Amino acid sequence: MDFDPTLLRAFVAVKETGGFTRAAQQLHLTQSAISHQIRRLEEQAGRPLLHRTTRKLTLTDDGEDFLRYAEQILQAQDAMVRRFQPSPVCGAVRFGVPENFMGERLPPLLCQFARAFPAIRLDVNVSMNLDLRAMIDAGELDLAVVISVPRSERGTVVRRTRLVWVAADIFTLPPDASVPLAFFPAPCVYRHAGVTALEQTTVKWHVVFTSPSQQGLRAAVLGGLAITVLTSDDLEPGMKIVDGQYGLPLLPSADFSLIWSDGGKTLAACEFGQLILDMPEQSSLPLLRSP
C-alpha cells in the first residue's frame, strides 16, 4: 500500500495545529479539502486515526503509531528533495589552500560541494609555495586559508595551533655543530618564525635543505638530515619535538584563517566558505599546512 504524501502532510498538519481549520490555513487549503484528505487516508489505513468531538480532536492509538511513520516518511522525502533539487546558486569560486591543508578531507569536501551546487564552477589552487595573501589582494582568488601569527591576519580564524621544532627520532647533532635546518621556500610563516626566533639567540645554524614539496621536506626530516618547523599536531611516526634542545628557542602559536578578497564574497563563494568554516576538526588526520 502506497500512502500519498499529500494526505500524510494533511494528517501531520491536523495534529500539529490541533484542528482542521488551522491545518487548512497552514496548507492553504479549504477545511472541506482537509476533511476529505483525512477521510481518504483513514480509508487507505483501514481504521480511524482521529477521535473527533465538537470540542476536541485527538489521535487514536493507531493514529499515534501512524503519526510516527508519517513524520519519518515526510522527513525522508524532504531530505531527498533538498539533496537532489538543483541549487539556484551559480557562478565560480576561486579558492586557495596550502597543500594538504585538510589532508584526506579536501577531496570529499570538494565533491560534496560540487554535488550540492552543480551550477558553481570551482577553481582550486593547492600549493605549498603560492603567496595566497598576494593572490587575494590582487583579486586572483575569492577566498583562501592562510597561516599567520595570532591576531595579525584579517578574516576568520579556522584553527589555532602551536609551532614547534621537529626532528627525526634518529637525529643526532655533534657537540658545537651548526644546527641543520629544512624549510619551505619564502614566503613561509614556518620559515619566518623559525629564523626570527633563531636570530635572537647565539645558536649556530644553517639551511641545508629547501623544498616546495611537502614530501621532500618530510624525507629530509625523517632521514635525519635536518630539523624543521611544523605545528604540534603535524608530527608523523618517526618524528619528535625538540623544543629547547640544541639551544632551539620556543616558537609562537599560529592561526589558520579564512580570508577574502575585496570582491570575493559572492553568494557562491559564501556558500563554499561556510562549508570550510563548518568542517569538523579531525585531529586523527595529518594536517600539514604551509602559508
Side-chain angles (χ1 to χ4, degrees):
M1 179 185 301
D2 294 327
F3 290 101
D4 186 342
T6 301
L7 306 185
L8 298 181
R9 290 191 188 279
F11 177 67
V12 171
V14 168
K15 175 59 175 65
E16 289 178 344
T17 61
F20 284 33
T21 300
R22 287 190 290 273
Q25 293 171 347
Q26 182 183 90
L27 298 177
H28 306 290
L29 298 171
T30 64
Q31 181 176 338
S32 60
I34 293 294
S35 298
H36 177 68
Q37 288 176 342
I38 297 300
R39 186 163 53 251
R40 285 179 55 199
L41 189 62
E42 289 181 321
E43 289 173 355
Q44 287 186 9
R47 63 200 70 187
L49 302 176
L50 297 168
H51 283 306
R52 304 171 182 83
T53 68
T54 56
R55 306 182 68 178
K56 190 175 181 181
L57 185 149
T58 59
L59 297 180
T60 64
D61 290 343
D62 288 328
E64 293 283 358
D65 289 339
F66 195 90
L67 177 67
R68 287 192 292 272
Y69 288 115
E71 290 175 336
Q72 291 173 6
I73 292 170
L74 294 176
Q75 288 170 4
Q77 185 184 50
D78 291 343
M80 184 171 65
V81 169
R82 289 192 300 270
R83 167 62 179 82
F84 291 101
Q85 185 176 33
S87 169
V89 183
C90 60
V93 176
R94 300 168 301 168
F95 176 55
V97 60
E99 185 181 355
N100 291 339
F101 165 63
M102 290 175 284
E104 297 175 11
R105 288 173 288 174
L106 181 56
L109 182 140
L110 297 178
C111 290
Q112 175 187 345
F113 185 80
R115 288 196 303 266
F117 300 96
I120 297 178
R121 179 175 59 83
L122 279 174
D123 181 1
V124 182
N125 280 275
V126 182
S127 176
M128 299 298 282
N129 58 354
L130 286 177
D131 189 344
L132 299 178
R133 292 179 193 80
M135 296 178 73
I136 285 287
D137 292 339
E140 297 172 5
L141 296 174
D142 298 311
L143 68 165
V145 173
V146 297
I147 183 173
S148 63
V149 296
R151 294 174 294 278
S152 69
E153 188 65 66
R154 64 190 187 273
T156 303
V157 175
V158 178
R159 179 184 168 204
R160 179 161 291 171
T161 187
R162 186 170 64 92
L163 297 179
V164 293
W165 297 102
V166 175
D169 291 340
I170 62 173
F171 179 82
T172 59
L173 185 68
D176 299 323
S178 175
V179 177
L181 300 176
F183 286 127
F184 294 111
C188 172
V189 169
Y190 293 166
R191 184 185 188 117
H192 181 266
V195 170
T196 300
L198 285 169
E199 288 177 342
Q200 300 176 31
T201 72
T202 59
V203 176
K204 294 185 295 182
W205 59 275
H206 64 286
V207 177
V208 69
F209 191 91
T210 300
S211 174
S213 165
Q214 170 197 317
Q215 297 296 329
L217 199 67
R218 178 185 297 137
V221 173
L222 289 175
L225 178 64
I227 294 173
T228 193
V229 175
L230 295 177
T231 64
S232 56
D233 49 358
D234 286 342
L235 271 70
E236 300 181 6
M239 293 182 180
K240 63 181 178 181
I241 296 175
V242 292
D243 287 3
Q245 299 182 42
Y246 318 116
L248 295 171
L250 292 179
L251 297 172
S253 57
D255 284 345
F256 297 101
S257 301
L258 183 66
I259 63 173
W260 302 79
S261 67
D262 289 339
K265 287 195 173 182
T266 63
L267 183 58
C270 286
E271 290 287 357
F272 186 78
Q274 193 59 51
L275 191 63
I276 300 295
L277 294 175
D278 291 343
M279 181 186 66
E281 193 167 315
Q282 298 180 17
S283 58
S284 60
L285 292 179
L287 301 177
L288 181 57
R289 298 177 172 89
S290 173

